[in-house]
Amino acid sequence: MNQSALLRPDWTPATIALMILGFMVFWPLGLAMLAYIIFGDRLRGFKRDVNQATDGFFASCRGPHGRHRPHFSTGNVAFDDWRKAELDRMEEERRKLDEMREEFDSYLRELRRAKDQEEFDRFMRDRRNAKRDDNGPVAEYQTP
């Protein structure tokens, strides 16, 4: 079992044990673990958004004369053309990988939504079945 599966932001035995241990050792650690359990899924999306914004900012700063696209020529036209073609190809590959990552993130969100919907439907079905089995409140015992 890998570490990401063991310490996912969910109410797993490992995260609960770490939270309790954190409260016993130093209460802010337990509080931090509780926050991770509750808000951990949002943290992943927040990190992705910050990374995309940062990448966009530095890409605009880099522009055509940044580190990856030097504004000077080596003097060898064939090499400069090859370098430009390779950099364009790598940029296209990066764009494809980013699209694939976004599609996979969307798939995971839909998978989680479907799982949540299934659990909710099962809860409602069990609740309905429990109400049908229940004949109402228990009548008080009356003495004759």
Side-chain angles (χ1 to χ4, degrees):
M1 176 179 276
N2 61 19
Q3 185 177 10
S4 65
L6 185 63
L7 292 178
R8 65 185 180 274
D10 199 5
W11 293 99
T12 63
T15 56
I16 293 170
L18 284 173
M19 180 185 64
I20 292 170
L21 184 65
F23 276 117
M24 288 177 11
V25 172
F26 184 58
W27 69 267
L29 293 175
L31 195 60
M33 192 62 198
L34 178 63
Y36 174 71
I37 292 170
I38 295 172
F39 301 111
D41 286 335
R42 296 181 193 161
L43 184 65
R44 194 173 299 130
F46 175 74
K47 180 182 172 192
R48 184 186 65 243
D49 293 343
V50 168
N51 284 340
Q52 286 176 348
T54 305
D55 288 346
F57 174 74
F58 284 112
S60 67
C61 290
R62 189 170 48 225
H65 57 278
R67 190 181 96 183
H68 296 292
R69 301 201 186 253
H71 64 283
F72 62 89
S73 171
T74 62
N76 186 329
V77 177
F79 177 76
D80 289 342
D81 290 343
W82 173 81
R83 181 180 59 192
K84 182 182 181 318
E86 286 297 306
L87 290 173
D88 290 344
R89 182 186 62 79
M90 289 189 321
E91 190 64 34
E92 179 65 21
E93 286 294 318
R94 180 187 168 104
R95 186 188 60 75
K96 287 179 184 177
L97 287 173
D98 287 342
E99 287 176 0
M100 289 171 58
R101 186 193 68 219
E102 288 176 14
E103 288 174 9
F104 185 69
D105 288 345
S106 171
Y107 171 76
L108 285 180
R109 275 193 303 275
E110 183 60 28
L111 197 61
R112 284 188 202 110
R113 190 202 63 72
K115 180 183 171 199
D116 290 346
Q117 184 67 45
E118 178 185 329
E119 289 175 358
F120 176 73
D121 291 342
R122 183 175 49 232
F123 166 76
M124 292 302 286
R125 186 174 51 249
D126 292 348
R127 186 170 177 237
R128 258 185 266 122
N129 290 341
K131 282 188 178 182
R132 283 188 200 142
D133 294 343
D134 188 15
N135 293 333
V138 177
E140 293 181 27
Y141 181 74
Q142 297 177 355
T143 56

